[in-house]
Amino acid sequence: LGDVYKRQKEYILYIRLNKAQNMLLYSDYSMEYIAQENGFSDSSYFIRVYKKWRGITPKQERMQNRL
């Protein structure tokens, strides 16, 4: 049961981070707004989690991959 819960939690985080990535690339919303809209308690935590997931900060993501 613990593994199922862990996988669900990881999947939900993955969905939240993907939504945040789309907002970074296709909007001009602030980091604070994107963090809040995707359920992160504050932008610092969002930045840490995002960097762990992608290897770059949200700001770097926006600057490097903006369409």
Side-chain angles (χ1 to χ4, degrees):
L1 188 61
D3 287 341
V4 171
Y5 175 75
K6 184 178 178 186
R7 283 194 303 269
Q8 286 178 333
K9 191 174 176 181
E10 289 171 352
Y11 178 71
I12 291 168
L13 180 60
Y14 173 77
I15 296 298
R16 290 166 56 203
L17 287 167
N18 271 291
K19 182 180 174 203
Q21 183 182 36
N22 282 332
M23 291 176 81
L24 285 167
L25 297 177
Y26 303 111
S27 77
D28 291 321
Y29 293 127
S30 69
M31 295 298 153
E32 293 78 15
Y33 180 81
I34 292 171
Q36 184 179 20
E37 280 295 299
N38 289 286
F40 293 93
S41 54
D42 61 64
S43 56
S44 296
Y45 176 64
F46 166 62
I47 292 166
R48 276 196 316 272
V49 172
Y50 195 93
K51 186 171 183 177
K52 185 177 178 183
W53 176 58
R54 294 278 294 139
I56 58 175
T57 66
K59 184 177 181 179
Q60 290 170 323
E61 178 85 72
R62 181 173 265 174
M63 290 171 58
Q64 292 176 8
N65 299 308
R66 194 77 192 250
L67 299 179

